[in-house]
Amino acid sequence: MTPQLTSQAADTTGRQAILDRLTLRPVRSAGLPTVDASKLTSFEEPLAKFTEMLQSVGGEVHLVDQPDQVTEILNQIEVFSNAQRVVSLVPEAVKGSFDLSKIHDPHDLAAVDWTIAKGEFGVAENGAIWIDGSTLPHRVLLFIAQYLAIVLSRREMVHHMHEGYARLGTPISRFGVFVAGPSKTADIEQSLVLGAHGCRALQVFLTP
Amino acid sequence: MNMLPIVDHPAAARPFVTNPDRAPWHDKALWFVRSKRDKQASSVPEWEYLRSLASQIKTATIANLGDYLTEFERNATALGAVVHWAADAEEHNRIVLKILRDHDTHRIVKSKSMLTEECGLNPFLEANGIDVVDTDLGERIVQLRHETPSHIVLPAIHLKKEEVGETFHEHLGTDEGAADPKYLTEAARGHLRDKFLAGEVGITGVNFAIAETGGFVVCTNEGNADLGASLPNVHIACMGIEKLVPRFEDLAVFLRLLARSATGQPITTYTSHFHGPRDSHSELHIVLVDNGRSRLRQSDAFRDALHCIRCGACMNTCPVYRRSGGHSYRATIPGPIGSVLSPTRDSSKHKSLPFACSLCGSCTDVCPVKIPLHHQLLAWRKEIGNLKLLSYDKRISMKMASLLFRSARLFSFAGWVGRASLKVLPHWATHHRLNTWTIARELPEPPKESFRHWYAKNRK
Amino acid sequence: MTVALFVPCYLDQFYPEVAIATLELLERLGVDVVFPPEQTCCGQPMANTGCTADCAPVARRFVDIFAPFDSIVCPSGSCTSMVRNHYDDYFAEDDDAFLHVKQRTFDLCEFLYDELQIQELKIEGQDVCFPHRVSLHQSCHGLRELRLGPSSENMTVRDNKVRQLMNLVKDVEWCDLSRPDECCGFGGTFAVNEADVSAAMGRDRVADHVGSGSEVIVSADMSCLMHLQGLIRREKSPIEVMHVAQVLAGRKLKKTNAK
């Protein structure tokens, strides 16, 4: 059952009181700082750093020369070759087996085994990959699939988060996410377990 | 007689710190997290520069908070979000309940939000017949056990895997005696998948909201916030008003610091940016909550506590927290930052917390946004003194000490009496439970004379 | 230049040998040093308990006693930090006597390292030797309030002044700790107020030092050592404590604790 859209009115009862309290006391500040780029570390080989960092957070990285090699490599992974429902948002790399056109309710994606998504750029300092929500017909695809693969051009590397945000400029998509490795938890006695609620493993394919 | 159920920190900590199975184990687990944090921090040569940037950005944000909030509201509204304002916890809970009632929903999936803990949202909704499922694994564990989180990032850090195993056996039907974290996590994944799919509304916290864009960022490792906010058509994001950053680019500074400080990861697995509702069939509600923050902003001594990004690093590093456990603080937020924030809500109830600190300063040095935590705890002690909340024995002993230190002659005489009695009296007369120092320690061996006495004889 | 020796109250009464070592060390280095006999305490116990009104007259008294001197030297980072970092609450911003005392009060190690910049340690022409396995207890206030060394949390590069001074002593064999700068749990009134946590912290520190193979814990702050020594004696741990001033002054290691 779809909830009805009935709750569009903002409750602003407390608004004026809060804003008034915030003006009671003028507070001085030196203003917003500008980041001095010369103080930031960049890497001689951002791609190598990115790979190292992504592996350190549990991602598996594959260098491919052509997009169709992605399927070849994936086929060697048992949980892929046995998979029933593969959603591919990068058809030149992997042919999907799941027709998204008839899906309107994201709950209907509950049985998706794999999502193959497109990454926009990688961040060398931490192995994160930016995924633009507008490339996803349903953003839940990134999180609901048992396994996730991201196809990303190895030319699309930034050194650090500052460069990442500079590249994003002003966000235009309703959703965007940095993904760094498979979902994980260490909530039970600090034991790291991969595969919490999102994907159980993350395969990243670096195309030319 | 004071009938309030107030338990001072030393008494609340005693069962934990004196338990040889508990305190050393807890201390090691958190020291491990702190060590991972050190490794990450030292791998970023500009670490200290980032800390000062973060501190400057937060100072400017809090100084102009009213303007940034209205800018955020304007931009978020333009993106299609509904922005609510709650002056206090009660108003926050009422706003959330109204949204849920408007949609006639009863099954809620909630990701980690210390704000909703602070507001007591779960018990409030449950009292109103609404089932709230905490989806963060650690939070789910404590929820099933009817406990509260003992740490803001690692909610179940006080529990052993065997205890989690028992809880899951009882509630999720896992094998009796099974305590393998991998097995238990897999069981929770299955259990919570069903809850996610059945959830009618997703509630999340907010790590950072951006005034310039009207969007906000949620960071998780588990992916629970994203599942919870991407399946249902209604997403409610609850945030304290201090969670703002002015510019989109400011996120870079804070995201570089947050996960490294919190868990020693270079970044969380998912750093999700929400700008407006998911689509035209969905709703996004953002609840801005004050609940004492605007009042805290007026305090020169404690204003900087609003810079907190809830990384938990001060807890991991605090030698008192590590040995006494989060529940000993009897507060939503434990550890150093909690001991600064809690007395701002109820100074009398939490008056022992600023003293649950050896003033070692490790929290101040570890804090990614440079909150002078141990100096604020010291400032709280003075405030508690000013509020006449100090215990009688503290007041009297310090008054006596002050009188003693105002006269070298008196001080010298008292010292002589002390040394002489230590020399003359038998061990049992000086080392007993009434002399708290000697419960675990010996007193110093009394020298035959004081330095001032020696100096008078040997110099000049 | 006349230097006033500021001897913390508990040192005066319970550890005169540390104050004597400090005095001799400074005299040997040619410093004109005196002990103003009117001094008692800096007021830190009252300040740290929140008793501002009880602290204020003691702080005032301290400034009046020490203001006539060019420099004030104290063998304790904690008491030094009280004067330098926490006295502002008790004085007017333009109180010249206070400002002078605030600027010119030094921890002993700071004074030796920054002001005197000593490069060698000799007693009557002979090198100072300390042929022992030594572990350093870095007292929190010296470390994080006076920055006598780099703290493990902070990524700023700094000299470790205490360790550098100890390196002027021959034959010291350093033993490294698993936690190089964790608090010992003394914390002034904290030791009594939170006695269980304080003792647990102290026992962990002693275990780390003993486990490192060290024979003696050396620190620039005797208050931490008083607490650790109390635990060592109670539990008969095989380790001794010494103030850094005693080592620098050429004192021998006295083995008093159980083997």
Side-chain angles (χ1 to χ4, degrees):
Chain A
M1 194 186 82
T2 311
Q4 294 305 301
L5 303 183
T6 53
S7 183
Q8 288 293 353
D11 186 331
T12 54
T13 321
R15 188 179 189 276
Q16 203 50 50
I18 295 171
L19 291 174
D20 287 348
R21 272 199 299 276
L22 291 174
T23 52
L24 273 179
R25 179 78 195 269
V27 174
R28 264 185 301 169
S29 94
L32 288 170
T34 314
V35 177
D36 178 354
S38 71
K39 288 188 175 160
L40 305 174
T41 306
S42 47
F43 305 97
E44 260 174 50
E45 293 186 58
L47 181 64
K49 183 70 186 175
F50 168 80
T51 305
E52 175 202 329
M53 292 312 290
L54 184 52
Q55 285 167 340
S56 79
V57 294
E60 291 175 44
V61 185
H62 311 271
L63 272 180
V64 293
D65 294 329
Q66 282 157 31
D68 55 1
Q69 276 179 285
V70 174
T71 310
E72 271 173 49
I73 294 169
L74 281 173
N75 274 329
Q76 290 162 24
I77 301 172
E78 206 183 334
V79 287
F80 182 81
S81 52
N82 294 340
Q84 303 287 309
R85 288 160 293 266
V86 176
V87 172
S88 177
L89 307 167
V90 194
E92 66 273 26
V94 177
K95 235 170 74 183
S97 64
F98 194 93
D99 183 10
L100 280 180
S101 62
K102 295 192 183 69
I103 303 287
H104 300 295
D105 181 352
H107 290 82
D108 297 339
L109 296 164
V112 168
D113 296 312
W114 279 80
T115 293
I116 318 295
K118 181 177 181 302
E120 301 301 319
F121 62 89
V123 185
E125 68 154 313
N126 55 24
I129 301 166
W130 177 256
I131 295 182
D132 184 333
S134 64
T135 64
L136 304 163
H138 297 278
R139 71 189 191 204
V140 80
L141 280 167
L142 282 185
F143 313 104
I144 205 163
Q146 296 292 324
Y147 297 93
L148 180 63
I150 300 173
V151 182
L152 168 70
S153 164
R154 52 184 177 253
R155 279 169 292 135
E156 306 296 337
M157 289 292 146
V158 299
H159 289 278
H160 43 61
M161 295 299 279
H162 310 280
E163 217 178 289
Y165 280 100
R167 177 174 165 148
L168 288 172
T170 309
I172 38 168
S173 300
R174 286 168 181 271
F175 183 72
V177 57
F178 283 109
V179 176
S183 79
K184 55 179 81 75
T185 181
D187 274 351
I188 301 174
E189 276 203 15
Q190 278 298 293
S191 299
L192 180 67
V193 180
L194 300 185
H197 297 303
C199 61
R200 296 170 180 278
L202 173 69
Q203 308 289 337
V204 175
F205 295 92
L206 296 169
T207 59
Chain B
M1 196 177 144
N2 190 350
M3 295 301 286
L4 286 170
I6 296 172
V7 184
D8 281 349
H9 184 267
R14 188 164 301 129
F16 197 93
V17 68
T18 55
N19 183 341
D21 283 340
R22 209 47 79 159
W25 162 83
H26 190 258
D27 166 63
K28 276 192 196 73
L30 286 156
W31 185 260
F32 172 64
V33 183
R34 157 75 214 269
S35 307
K36 286 197 292 175
R37 172 268 172 203
D38 289 354
K39 210 168 151 230
Q40 281 297 329
S42 63
S43 75
V44 178
E46 60 266 37
W47 184 259
E48 296 300 329
Y49 178 56
L50 292 176
R51 287 179 75 217
S52 52
L53 285 173
S55 170
Q56 287 171 51
I57 294 168
K58 279 291 180 185
T59 303
T61 309
I62 300 303
N64 304 298
L65 192 55
D67 295 341
Y68 286 129
L69 280 171
T70 48
E71 184 185 353
F72 174 77
E73 178 192 41
R74 191 169 62 245
N75 290 326
T77 307
L79 290 168
V82 185
V83 180
H84 308 266
W85 298 68
D88 53 28
E90 203 175 69
E91 221 166 277
H92 163 265
N93 293 348
R94 186 172 54 68
I95 289 168
V96 173
L97 180 64
K98 169 134 195 324
I99 300 168
L100 302 180
R101 288 257 162 90
D102 284 350
H103 293 90
D104 194 24
T105 49
H106 297 90
R107 292 188 304 273
I108 314 305
V109 283
K110 181 161 82 64
S111 71
K112 191 151 61 199
S113 149
M114 289 317 295
L115 178 82
T116 60
E117 288 285 340
E118 170 190 321
C119 294
L121 180 67
N122 281 19
F124 173 80
L125 292 181
E126 278 153 23
N128 282 281
I130 289 171
D131 180 31
V132 188
V133 175
D134 279 320
T135 58
D136 172 82
L137 176 59
E139 288 225 317
R140 185 64 180 153
I141 293 168
V142 296
Q143 185 181 35
L144 290 172
R145 295 173 63 91
H146 306 290
E147 293 180 6
T148 54
S150 70
H151 187 289
I152 61 173
V153 174
L154 315 160
I157 190 73
H158 61 291
L159 294 170
K160 299 204 171 189
K161 56 182 191 277
E162 290 78 15
E163 293 169 295
V164 178
E166 278 168 37
T167 304
F168 279 15
H169 172 62
E170 186 187 331
H171 294 275
L172 312 186
T174 54
D175 296 340
E176 194 168 2
D180 174 40
K182 214 172 157 188
Y183 167 77
L184 296 174
T185 302
E186 182 63 29
R189 178 182 169 102
H191 159 75
L192 285 165
R193 260 300 153 117
D194 294 342
K195 301 287 182 189
F196 279 121
L197 291 168
E200 297 167 306
V201 171
I203 299 179
T204 69
V206 167
N207 288 94
F208 306 100
I210 312 117
E212 180 182 65
T213 67
F216 61 92
V217 170
V218 180
C219 305
T220 75
N221 282 317
E222 298 184 9
N224 57 315
D226 293 291
L227 269 177
S230 301
L231 280 167
N233 286 345
V234 182
H235 176 184
I236 307 174
C238 305
M239 59 176 271
I241 53 175
E242 85 286 13
K243 289 278 172 185
L244 276 181
V245 295
R247 307 165 295 197
F248 194 53
E249 67 185 65
D250 295 330
L251 291 171
V253 173
F254 291 99
L255 290 170
R256 297 190 77 188
L257 291 165
L258 177 64
R260 287 186 173 100
S261 297
T263 53
Q265 294 171 261
I267 188 168
T268 48
T269 300
Y270 302 108
T271 306
S272 301
H273 299 57
F274 298 90
H275 282 90
R278 190 178 70 212
D279 48 43
S280 53
H281 313 293
S282 308
E283 287 176 27
L284 172 63
H285 296 267
I286 301 168
V287 190
L288 302 173
V289 186
D290 182 345
N291 205 31
R293 288 162 176 78
S294 59
R295 205 177 57 237
L296 185 56
R297 182 185 168 278
Q298 292 172 39
S299 158
D300 288 334
F302 304 116
R303 181 180 307 118
D304 288 357
L306 289 169
H307 296 188
C308 178
I309 57 172
R310 303 288 191 267
C311 71
C314 61
M315 286 154 217
N316 305 341
T317 204
C318 176
V320 179
Y321 174 90
R322 273 189 268 114
R323 287 174 186 80
S324 54
H327 287 149
S328 67
Y329 292 81
R330 308 282 166 114
T332 306
I333 299 181
I337 183 67
S339 297
V340 170
L341 293 174
S342 305
T344 65
R345 306 199 173 282
D346 187 338
S347 326
S348 177
K349 183 179 171 196
H350 298 293
K351 66 176 191 287
S352 74
L353 296 184
F355 295 90
C357 162
S358 63
L359 297 173
C360 79
S362 182
C363 48
T364 300
D365 272 6
V366 91
C367 177
V369 291
K370 295 181 101 165
I371 303 171
L373 285 160
H374 77 293
H375 288 168
Q376 292 192 339
L377 289 169
L378 186 57
W380 255 122
R381 296 182 185 187
K382 292 188 176 140
E383 192 63 31
I384 283 165
N386 294 341
L387 293 168
K388 308 257 179 287
L389 289 170
L390 284 175
S391 67
Y392 177 77
D393 55 330
K394 270 186 193 144
R395 273 187 293 128
I396 290 304
S397 59
M398 289 305 138
K399 200 154 282 309
M400 303 272 286
S402 177
L403 291 172
L404 202 62
F405 291 139
R406 280 182 239 177
S407 155
R409 193 181 291 266
L410 201 57
F411 167 69
S412 190
F413 176 70
W416 176 82
V417 171
R419 282 196 315 280
S421 34
L422 264 181
K423 228 174 282 179
V424 174
L425 294 173
H427 188 269
W428 58 263
T430 51
H431 293 67
H432 49 75
R433 290 213 71 87
L434 291 178
N435 181 353
T436 317
W437 173 272
T438 64
I439 293 169
R441 318 170 188 89
E442 293 297 303
L443 286 163
E445 274 177 24
K448 60 179 191 293
E449 60 188 353
S450 64
F451 173 73
R452 67 184 61 234
H453 194 204
W454 178 93
Y455 187 85
K457 285 197 306 193
N458 291 281
R459 290 293 182 275
K460 275 178 256 184
Chain C
M1 179 171 91
T2 305
V3 168
L5 187 60
F6 158 29
V7 176
C9 50
Y10 66 94
L11 215 62
D12 176 37
Q13 296 298 319
F14 288 104
Y15 297 98
E17 69 273 16
V18 175
I20 296 168
T22 306
L23 179 71
E24 283 184 13
L25 179 62
L26 290 169
E27 286 173 342
R28 206 174 281 144
L29 290 163
V31 180
D32 174 20
V33 53
V34 296
F35 173 81
E38 279 304 305
Q39 64 176 290
T40 56
C41 170
C42 61
Q44 187 173 193
M46 289 77 92
N48 288 2
T49 308
C51 299
T52 312
D54 296 320
C55 180
V58 178
R60 178 77 256 171
R61 199 176 168 276
F62 183 96
V63 165
D64 292 343
I65 291 168
F66 285 100
F69 298 92
D70 298 312
S71 296
I72 301 118
V73 175
C74 172
S76 159
S78 190
C79 305
T80 304
S81 174
M82 174 67 193
V83 175
R84 188 182 301 164
N85 299 319
H86 301 283
Y87 259 23
D88 300 68
D89 287 1
Y90 308 100
F91 298 91
E93 278 174 34
D94 58 354
D95 185 327
D96 289 337
F98 159 60
L99 292 175
H100 170 74
V101 168
K102 176 182 159 111
Q103 279 158 14
R104 298 301 301 171
T105 300
F106 301 98
D107 163 76
L108 173 66
C109 294
E110 279 180 328
F111 189 73
L112 299 177
Y113 192 85
D114 296 330
E115 297 292 307
L116 300 186
Q117 302 188 2
I118 63 169
Q119 304 294 328
E120 55 170 18
L121 264 180
K122 289 203 190 287
I123 300 177
E124 291 162 5
Q126 299 288 307
D127 285 333
V128 175
C129 295
F130 195 70
H132 297 286
R133 293 187 306 277
V134 174
S135 49
L136 182 64
H137 173 69
Q138 312 209 61
S139 301
C140 300
H141 288 176
L143 193 69
R144 300 192 186 85
E145 297 242 307
L146 300 182
R147 302 294 180 195
L148 293 182
S151 74
S152 57
E153 304 87 4
N154 194 288
M155 300 300 143
T156 309
V157 179
R158 292 185 172 95
D159 286 344
N160 192 323
K161 298 175 189 177
V162 184
R163 209 169 154 133
Q164 300 276 36
L165 289 168
M166 281 289 292
N167 284 341
L168 300 177
V169 178
K170 304 291 179 226
D171 303 330
V172 168
E173 190 186 327
W174 285 111
C175 298
D176 291 328
L177 304 173
S178 67
R179 301 186 188 180
D181 54 16
E182 184 167 54
C183 178
C184 68
F186 172 63
T189 52
F190 173 83
V192 174
N193 187 41
E194 287 269 3
D196 295 317
V197 179
S198 166
M201 287 164 68
R203 282 192 207 102
D204 288 353
R205 285 292 80 225
V206 172
D208 197 0
H209 285 274
V210 170
S212 75
S214 166
E215 294 169 75
V216 53
I217 305 175
V218 170
S219 170
D221 224 317
M222 202 61 211
S223 55
C224 309
L225 293 179
M226 173 169 71
H227 160 68
L228 293 176
Q229 187 185 49
L231 290 161
I232 288 168
R233 290 207 173 131
R234 175 64 57 87
E235 313 210 341
K236 304 197 175 8
S237 307
I239 198 161
E240 311 292 331
V241 303
M242 274 176 90
H243 192 281
V244 66
Q246 294 173 289
V247 179
L248 299 181
R251 301 291 194 265
K252 298 276 171 277
L253 175 62
K254 273 189 277 180
K255 297 241 178 179
T256 56
N257 299 321
K259 304 287 144 27

